[in-house]
Amino acid sequence: MNAQTPVCQLLERQAMDYRQWWWVAPPQDDWLLEAGGGVISGDQSVLDAWRASGKSAGSALSTEPLEDIPGAVLFWPKSHALGEWWLLSLCERLPAGTPLQVVGENQGGVKRVLKVLAALGLGCRKRDSARRSTLFETRLERVSVAADAVWQTFEAEHLTLASHPGVFGHGKLDDGTRLLLSTLEAHLPDAPGTVLDLGCGDGVISAWLSERRANITAVDVNLFAVAATRCTLQTNGLTGEVLPSDVYSALDERRFDMIVSNPPFHQERTIDYGPAARLIRAAPQHLTPGGQLILVANAFLPYPDLLESTFGHCEILADDRRYRVYRVVLSQRHAI
């Protein structure tokens, strides 16, 4: 199978034997599975796919050393701070002297790798460029900065929130979530019951709802978000179940009185409505009769049609021209 993404097409043309190498934070590209080796990712869906294929797969947040690996390829993310974290983590987990290649699209800022590696005292050279992407290579060494140093906390909604560069809205409360919470304040029942926070991010929605006596389950496909939400709840003395999950994949047939979400619509720099569409279409299978789905989204996104086709109706609770808060209620007719 030929590589599908530009960065993998660049790797495919290298005179390299990657069969025992490990891919770090890779995109979804079936060529990588065929090329062999293992994967380290902060994306639960990537880990699930690799494990289903019988391949080695490790969590980004594991601190277990990785031995006997001939080399690793880091796919540079669009977040510069997250790329720095990956480099620090690999320096901690892989033996000194391990070959490392760093690949990324030029528009994604991969050329900044040279300065980052130089600041860490690591040499680097450009190996190749094509498909508007560049491939660098270096060797890992121990560095003085700990990967965990990138974690931070900040205050929002009278809560202390944990944040990591791999989490959406790192270090600040985004305006969409702010509108969602202010809208929920006026529409939340006195007894919220069981609530699913789908795409929990730094945990602000879960913590805010837990303060208001909701029985919280929080899920996110992003392992950094799962860790951040757990830390946020603990820091604020609140409770809730937090699970890694690709939309509803970890929930089996569980149902909730309410589903609340600020769903993502980007995969790196590419618009991707897939997760939000699955969230909406499968929501009736995870709501109790009379349960409601409340989500916030950029006003230009085509979610009203999806909501109406799934639930038969759609209500706009708030609209500030940039974001809209939608609500739908599961009727007996649409219950599954």
Side-chain angles (χ1 to χ4, degrees):
M1 174 178 291
N2 293 329
Q4 301 156 315
T5 56
V7 287
C8 289
Q9 289 168 353
L10 177 56
L11 292 169
E12 186 179 30
R13 75 183 214 157
Q14 303 305 306
M16 289 283 301
D17 181 1
Y18 286 116
R19 282 176 294 179
Q20 301 302 317
W21 282 49
W22 279 54
W23 312 108
V24 182
Q28 296 276 14
D29 194 314
D30 290 339
W31 175 80
L32 294 170
L33 282 167
E34 291 194 357
V39 69
I40 305 172
S41 179
D43 186 319
Q44 187 64 41
S45 66
V46 171
L47 298 180
D48 290 344
W50 279 70
R51 288 166 182 163
S53 299
K55 303 284 188 177
S56 298
S59 165
L61 293 175
S62 171
T63 57
E64 181 181 352
L66 295 167
E67 306 289 347
D68 302 322
I69 293 176
V73 178
L74 170 60
F75 293 80
W76 193 253
K78 70 175 183 179
S79 165
H80 181 68
L82 179 57
E84 290 182 336
W85 178 87
W86 275 115
L87 287 173
L88 294 173
S89 176
L90 292 173
C91 285
E92 290 178 353
R93 296 185 64 188
L94 293 171
T98 300
L100 174 70
Q101 294 184 357
V102 182
V103 66
E105 294 186 41
N106 296 336
Q107 289 185 338
V110 70
K111 293 184 178 180
R112 298 173 70 182
V113 167
L114 289 168
K115 291 184 178 179
V116 176
L117 289 170
L120 293 174
L122 302 177
C124 180
R125 77 176 186 91
K126 185 170 94 171
R127 179 184 175 91
D128 197 6
S129 60
R131 302 289 184 179
R132 298 179 181 176
S133 302
T134 303
L135 177 65
F136 297 99
E137 59 184 5
T138 185
R139 287 185 179 272
L140 294 171
E141 300 292 343
R142 292 288 179 262
V143 296
S144 60
V145 183
D148 279 349
V150 305
W151 281 95
Q152 62 181 249
T153 60
F154 68 101
E155 304 295 318
E157 298 293 322
H158 308 293
L159 296 162
T160 300
L161 307 177
S163 190
H164 183 281
V167 178
F168 168 71
H170 175 48
K172 61 181 174 30
L173 181 65
D174 75 283
D175 292 337
T177 299
R178 193 185 306 278
L179 178 64
L180 173 63
L181 294 178
S182 66
T183 304
L184 280 172
E185 190 75 71
H187 293 88
L188 193 68
D190 291 336
T194 57
V195 181
L196 173 64
D197 178 4
L198 208 161
C200 54
D202 56 30
V204 61
I205 296 174
S206 290
W208 189 92
L209 287 166
S210 182
E211 277 194 320
R212 288 154 179 81
R213 298 177 298 162
N215 183 359
I216 290 294
T217 298
V219 300
D220 204 301
V221 72
N222 183 329
L223 300 183
F224 301 112
V226 171
T229 295
R230 286 174 178 162
C231 185
T232 291
L233 290 172
Q234 182 179 20
T235 299
N236 292 279
L238 300 169
T239 59
E241 179 185 25
V242 189
L243 302 169
S245 182
D246 184 7
V247 192
Y248 300 105
S249 65
L251 299 174
D252 298 322
E253 298 180 359
R254 292 172 60 180
R255 291 179 180 266
F256 302 87
D257 299 316
M258 181 185 295
I259 298 173
V260 181
S261 184
N262 180 358
F265 66 96
H266 279 107
Q267 179 66 30
E268 287 292 322
R269 292 184 297 106
T270 304
I271 291 179
D272 180 9
Y273 300 134
R278 286 188 289 143
L279 182 164
I280 293 168
R281 291 190 177 117
Q285 302 170 41
H286 295 279
L287 283 171
T288 57
Q292 54 185 325
L293 166 64
I294 299 178
L295 61 84
V296 64
N298 292 72
F300 68 86
L301 294 171
Y303 293 162
D305 290 344
L306 272 171
L307 291 164
E308 289 177 1
S309 65
T310 303
F311 288 87
H313 68 286
C314 172
E315 178 185 5
I316 298 175
L317 297 181
D319 185 346
D320 69 359
R321 298 189 180 182
R322 291 179 61 207
Y323 299 97
R324 289 177 183 165
V325 178
Y326 300 100
R327 176 171 66 180
V328 289
V329 179
L330 183 65
S331 65
Q332 283 294 135
R333 175 185 172 190
H334 292 90
I336 295 176

